[in-house]
Amino acid sequence: MTRDKSRSTEPNHFGRSKTRRAAALLAVIALCIVVGIFRTTGRPDVDRLVTLADDSLRKGDAETALEFAERALKHEPDSGQALIIAGRASKALGRTRQSIDFYRRIPDGGSSDAVEARIECGDALLTEFRNLSSAEDHYLRALEQDADRLRPHVGLAFLYGATGRRDRSVDHELALMRLGRIDSERLFRIAIGGATTGPPRSVNRQSLQDEGDAPVLVSLALEAYARGDEVETKQLLRRAVSIDPESDAAWLMLGEVLLDTGDLRELPTWHRGLPHKASDQAVAWWIRGEWASRTEQARAAIRCYWESVRRNPNRQDALYSLGTTLAALGKLDAAEVFLERSRLLSEYVKRAELAYRVGERQDYRRAAELAEQLGLTWEAYGWAAAWVTETGGENQLNDDASQRLATRVRGLPLVRLDPSFRFEADLVYDEYPLPRWSNLPGEDGDSGTSSAAHVSFRNDARSSGLMFQYRNGGDPENHGIVHMYEVVGGGVAVLDYDHDGWPDAYFAQGRVDPPGNPAPLEALSDQLFRNSGQASFRDVTRPSRVQEPRFSQGATAGDFDGDGFTDIYVANIGPNRLYRNNGDGTFSDVSHDAGFDRHGYTASCLMVDLNHDALPDLYDVNYLAGDDLMTRVCGEPDRAPRSCLPQSFAGDPDRVHRNLGNGRYRDCTDECGVGTADVGKGLGIIAADLDGSGRLSLYISNDVGPNQLFVNTTTTPADALQFSEQALLRGAALNRNGNYESGMGIAAGDVDRDGRLDLFVTNFDDETNTLYRQHLDGMFHDETRTAGLAPKALPHVGWGAQFLDAELDGWPDLIVTNGHVNDLRDHGKPYRAPAQFFSNLGRGRFVERSADTLGGFFLRRPLGRGMACIDWGRDHLEAVLISHLDAPASLLTNTTAQTGHSFVCRLVGTRSARDPVGASVTIHAGEFTATRQLVAGDGNQSSNQRLLVFGLGPQDAIDSIEVRWPSGDVDRFAGASTGVDYLLIEGRATPFPLP
């Protein structure tokens, strides 16, 4: 054994000698052939040398091939064949620059060699030297000579995508489709307008030879922006436009970045510097529209958005912005045209992505249908073809339709929108003005600078006795999440069930087995924890008789019967439950008597007065439905199973229950306008007075679908509940690019202290958690990037979120909990994730705080889900309760040492509902003014403590307090002090301090 091993590791001198002799023999033979050629003709036979060079190259002997080719070129320097072989042999030998020199000697002229030389130069310059401008030139010269060659189109599609010229990338993707190169990845790239389908399509910086090339700098800027480095992005783009003032890609991306980062004052200079080539592009007009919108030039914004859409009818952000701006000016019929196209495009992009990434047949089919509906005939034809080639099944699209599409594209130009397709609105856009580029409104008053306090939190769950662990029916820690019922997790409701002044906590609990199975005798139950007021909680589930063994998701609290004691409503997979507070520390299950027998998948719920009759109604946010919802699993065949995509199931319609005042509820979903809306896959909900009408509107975050805003149009308490779905019209359905996202949790707060509620929605990975800021006209605008909140969320799946003022400086901060729905670490995605805390620097501009400074909890990586705010120590520093899938719940106590002054109030309605959700309180303290509204549903599947906390910063005296009640009454209070809890009762002139 040892001898054999040593023999195998010794140098094989015999083998090497044999190889050298063989090589020498070949060289001798080659020399003889060459000598023979010279002796028989007196001059070399160039054709014979080229043949020998070609044969040598085919056999893998690049050195000999190069020698033959160079001999041929000595006597015929313009031999295209010899130059091609010499170039290929040089490349095989690693001499790429030499290969390019050979190719460049072949002049253009339409010959096959000339086209091949241009392609080889383009490939080498792109892949080896990253000389993007020269590579582009060679590819274009190749196509001028032969428009049907594949490789130049492939190279240019990548190059243009990598350097921000997305429209031009699409042109070459379409050309490849015409040449028969049809697949779902190419179709998806076209659907998203030429953008990348994976990591940023940029070049590898380490291999760059020339960073003085403008396209290279744009590519690097795209890469820097994707990782959130805004400073480097601007530096790179400014270098690009200084090197090449005519670089349209650099100019246009710079304008978009200035918009995203809120650098509005730089945009007039940018506008004046635009080169002619860039000035008339759709992107430039969209940027002008955004400038006009943000400088309160609504009519000019309409003109600019329209000019953008006219040039690119598939630009979702321009379509969406045009529609919402028209709606804000009352042009609803015209708005609907653009909003509907934006919505269809958003659905089309999502279906295209599913077909590409998952490969379900129904997604190919739906993508084809949507593409044809949108006038994207080439893409409809492509999806019909890909259906057959990629799914391996019969073409179940209508055969007549497939034949019609194939016939249609034969004479169709290579453009996305079919020239025969028309969508128009009845408006004369030339009547709308162009924007003014001066007199940017200044920022008066408060400079908006937040305190620089050191924010910190401590997890007090274990030390306080608040020991709760949500069970999702699976094993998320060891086996990931497999079934859809395991995904969502549970929420928490904060309430003072025993009226001792200290907030208690009710946690929704799942099961150790799937929903629907008979509950075992020792089944898990939701848990109620009583706050002792002595820095501890006690589990009072059994003595309170709130034992809920079903598969619970969310929970809310409120006084449904107006007896002064807070009741609990639980959202379940299965029938929901209503627990009446008996006033003696116990609860009774009154669900059957109240009329709740429907089985569904309710993720969140709330209990609020929707029609001003002082009786809280109920709203169920429902998620998914399907016969195999509880059993179906997905995943790749050779990998562990995982949960399916929500698109694989139908949505479960939401339900609205009107309080009849006799202990019963009536389902009024279909008659109130909610039942007639598109069915969403709902997860989160907020109830608030979003339009100043005094009525509660409902904002719902939907997974993989547009969010919904049900505006309350009920006129009197005696009338039937009525809602009008207006999320698209109000700008709150989609993100700024006109795409719908995967809405999870919602937070509501006035982030810029302008007196209007703003909305924050958590979403899936590769999406932003989106901030919808409300403007004076009641419209919502996605200002996530301007606020500094993107791309901080991109790697994570966000769930619970809350606005709270951690430093009591008067500016609401933001906390978010994260956790994926599948363990995709082998795909490079984080499974568990840390929570995030963003400090409000003033006027709604946020910065993420380092986990190292926030406390040990933020260094952990749990699977976070539900979240609620609670001032459990009554120190005016709001704490946060978080429920996790794979770890015990957390109680994050705010331990920030240096804070401002504060004012805290609890509201009790008399003419309004006892819990007057929708009431707003305005505090005046010197130059400080702030408004807070009592809302319901914040967080995720949760219900906050019903109190309002005002941070006052350095202001130590309160001048006045004004309360606007849901009834329409307005009370003004005086004589309040800072640092005290007050009870404000509707119709009473004096605030009551609480002990």
Side-chain angles (χ1 to χ4, degrees), residues 904-917:
V904 172
C905 62
R906 309 180 195 197
L907 305 177
V908 174
T910 53
R911 290 188 60 211
S912 307
R914 186 175 185 85
D915 287 326
V917 175

Side-chain angles (χ1 to χ4, degrees), residues 489-500:
V492 55
V494 180
L495 69 160
D496 182 5
Y497 84 97
D498 54 359
H499 277 221
D500 64 354

Side-chain angles (χ1 to χ4, degrees), residues 475-480 795-797 818-825 829-835 860-865 885-887:
D475 186 3
E477 185 171 1
N478 297 309
H479 297 109
H796 303 309
V797 176
N818 301 300
H820 215 288
V821 300
N822 279 306
D823 188 350
L824 300 176
R825 283 174 289 186
K829 294 180 179 290
Y831 180 42
R832 298 170 179 84
R860 292 176 51 203
R861 292 177 173 268
L863 295 173
R865 290 300 188 262
L885 285 188
D886 62 338

Side-chain angles (χ1 to χ4, degrees), residues 642-957:
R642 64 172 184 262
S643 63
C644 302
L645 295 174
Q647 296 94 324
S648 303
F649 303 94
D652 188 11
D654 293 353
R655 311 307 297 177
V656 185
H657 308 277
R658 180 169 180 170
N659 193 330
L660 301 179
N662 58 0
R664 292 189 59 79
Y665 282 86
R666 182 171 64 83
D667 187 331
C668 63
T669 305
D670 295 333
E671 66 192 55
C672 73
V674 172
T676 59
D678 291 338
V679 176
K681 298 177 173 72
L683 286 173
I685 186 169
I686 285 285
D689 180 2
L690 292 173
D691 55 8
S693 67
R695 296 185 292 265
L696 291 179
S697 294
L698 305 170
Y699 183 68
I700 297 165
S701 58
N702 285 313
D703 196 2
V704 295
N707 298 327
Q708 293 169 308
L709 174 59
F710 290 105
V711 175
N712 194 333
T713 58
T714 309
T715 52
T716 69
D719 294 330
L721 280 171
Q722 288 296 316
F723 293 93
S724 172
E725 205 291 295
Q726 297 183 13
L728 270 173
L729 292 173
R730 296 278 299 276
L734 312 174
N735 67 12
R736 71 190 299 269
N737 296 321
N739 293 319
Y740 63 75
E741 297 176 297
S742 304
M744 313 286 191
I746 313 174
D750 182 6
V751 301
D752 49 3
R753 236 165 61 199
D754 64 358
R756 295 182 289 274
L757 274 180
D758 309 302
L759 301 170
F760 179 81
V761 181
T762 58
N763 293 301
F764 212 70
D765 64 355
D766 295 328
E767 300 174 339
T768 59
N769 289 336
T770 305
L771 176 66
Y772 295 96
R773 185 172 287 168
Q774 187 176 183
H775 287 216
L776 185 62
D777 56 8
M779 301 297 295
F780 290 90
H781 295 253
D782 175 357
E783 298 187 15
T784 309
R785 286 195 177 274
T786 305
L789 293 171
K792 301 295 185 183
L794 292 179
H796 303 309
V797 176
W799 291 90
Q802 293 286 353
F803 287 115
L804 55 87
D805 188 351
E807 311 102 311
L808 297 177
D809 62 0
W811 297 102
D813 308 305
L814 178 65
I815 185 169
V816 180
T817 184
N818 301 300
H820 215 288
V821 300
N822 279 306
D823 188 350
L824 300 176
R825 283 174 289 186
D826 56 344
H827 290 264
K829 294 180 179 290
Y831 180 42
R832 298 170 179 84
Q836 296 170 285
F837 183 87
F838 300 88
S839 283
N840 190 334
L841 302 179
R843 298 191 180 279
R845 180 78 178 177
F846 292 85
V847 63
E848 185 175 6
R849 297 272 189 170
S850 170
D852 294 335
T853 66
L854 291 167
F857 172 81
F858 289 86
L859 297 172
R860 292 176 51 203
R861 292 177 173 268
L863 295 173
R865 290 300 188 262
M867 180 188 288
C869 286
I870 178 172
D871 183 12
W872 76 287
R874 293 186 60 183
D875 57 3
H876 295 189
L877 294 175
E878 288 183 280
V880 175
L881 289 165
I882 304 178
S883 179
H884 309 291
L885 285 188
D886 62 338
S890 298
L891 171 60
L892 299 188
T893 301
N894 187 346
T895 55
T896 304
Q898 297 180 348
T899 62
H901 296 283
S902 61
F903 171 81
V904 172
C905 62
R906 309 180 195 197
L907 305 177
V908 174
T910 53
R911 290 188 60 211
S912 307
R914 186 175 185 85
D915 287 326
V917 175
S920 62
V921 178
T922 301
I923 298 291
H924 299 280
E927 297 182 355
F928 177 93
T929 299
T931 299
R932 299 277 186 272
Q933 185 180 146
L934 187 66
V935 303
D938 295 51
N940 176 51
Q941 308 170 279
S942 299
S943 180
N944 287 338
Q945 184 179 357
R946 296 285 168 82
L947 85 168
L948 297 176
V949 177
F950 288 80
L952 304 178
Q955 301 295 333
D956 59 359

Side-chain angles (χ1 to χ4, degrees), residues 133-145:
S133 293
S134 295
E136 178 184 358
D137 176 65
H138 280 278
Y139 284 139
L140 291 174
R141 287 164 60 188
L143 290 177
E144 286 175 1
Q145 300 171 77

Side-chain angles (χ1 to χ4, degrees), residues 440-659:
L440 183 67
E443 295 183 348
D444 301 323
D446 192 339
S447 64
T449 302
S450 168
S451 70
H454 175 78
V455 177
S456 63
F457 292 87
R458 181 183 64 239
N459 187 358
D460 284 334
R462 178 179 292 275
S463 63
S464 69
L466 202 154
M467 300 300 295
F468 174 82
Q469 166 75 64
Y470 185 83
R471 304 296 179 187
N472 73 340
D475 186 3
E477 185 171 1
N478 297 309
H479 297 109
I481 297 170
V482 178
H483 299 91
M484 292 307 298
Y485 61 79
E486 300 174 28
V487 169
V488 176
V492 55
V494 180
L495 69 160
D496 182 5
Y497 84 97
D498 54 359
H499 277 221
D500 64 354
W502 295 91
D504 312 304
Y506 180 95
F507 283 90
Q509 177 61 282
R511 292 271 292 273
V512 295
D513 51 1
N517 289 359
L521 293 177
E522 297 299 324
L524 293 174
S525 169
D526 297 4
Q527 288 180 254
L528 176 63
F529 292 88
R530 179 179 181 270
N531 187 342
S532 70
Q534 302 296 321
S536 66
F537 287 88
R538 182 169 63 90
D539 185 346
V540 294
T541 307
R542 286 186 179 275
S544 68
R545 300 209 300 261
V546 186
Q547 291 182 272
E548 172 57 43
R550 296 164 186 83
F551 204 112
S552 299
Q553 300 284 276
T556 190
D559 185 3
F560 89 94
D561 53 4
D563 64 357
F565 294 98
T566 306
D567 311 300
I568 299 171
Y569 183 58
V570 184
N572 288 325
I573 300 178
N576 299 333
R577 312 315 289 169
L578 178 63
Y579 289 93
R580 183 181 63 206
N581 191 331
N582 298 320
D584 59 0
T586 67
F587 290 81
S588 298
D589 183 351
V590 296
S591 309
H592 180 74
D593 293 340
F596 299 114
D597 294 314
R598 180 183 179 272
H599 287 248
Y601 188 160
T602 303
S604 296
C605 58
L606 52 75
M607 183 187 302
V608 291
D609 178 13
L610 296 173
N611 61 347
H612 285 186
D613 63 358
L615 297 170
D617 308 294
L618 295 169
Y619 192 100
D620 300 337
V621 179
N622 294 325
Y623 189 35
L624 302 176
D627 294 339
D628 59 349
L629 178 61
M630 301 303 161
T631 57
R632 184 176 176 186
V633 297
C634 296
E636 300 167 22
D638 57 340
R639 296 180 183 270
R642 64 172 184 262
S643 63
C644 302
L645 295 174
Q647 296 94 324
S648 303
F649 303 94
D652 188 11
D654 293 353
R655 311 307 297 177
V656 185
H657 308 277
R658 180 169 180 170
N659 193 330

Side-chain angles (χ1 to χ4, degrees), residues 20-76:
R20 282 198 296 269
R21 286 200 299 273
L25 180 63
L26 286 173
V28 169
I29 294 171
L31 180 62
C32 291
I33 293 172
V34 173
V35 170
I37 293 170
F38 274 89
R39 285 180 176 174
T40 56
T41 64
R43 62 178 296 277
D45 184 341
V46 173
D47 291 340
R48 177 66 174 155
L49 287 171
V50 169
T51 300
L52 290 169
D54 189 44
D55 289 344
S56 298
L57 190 61
R58 292 176 186 275
K59 294 174 181 176
D61 187 357
E63 193 76 58
T64 302
L66 180 59
E67 183 178 347
F68 280 132
E70 287 183 321
R71 286 179 180 275
L73 290 170
K74 283 182 180 179
H75 297 274
E76 197 171 312

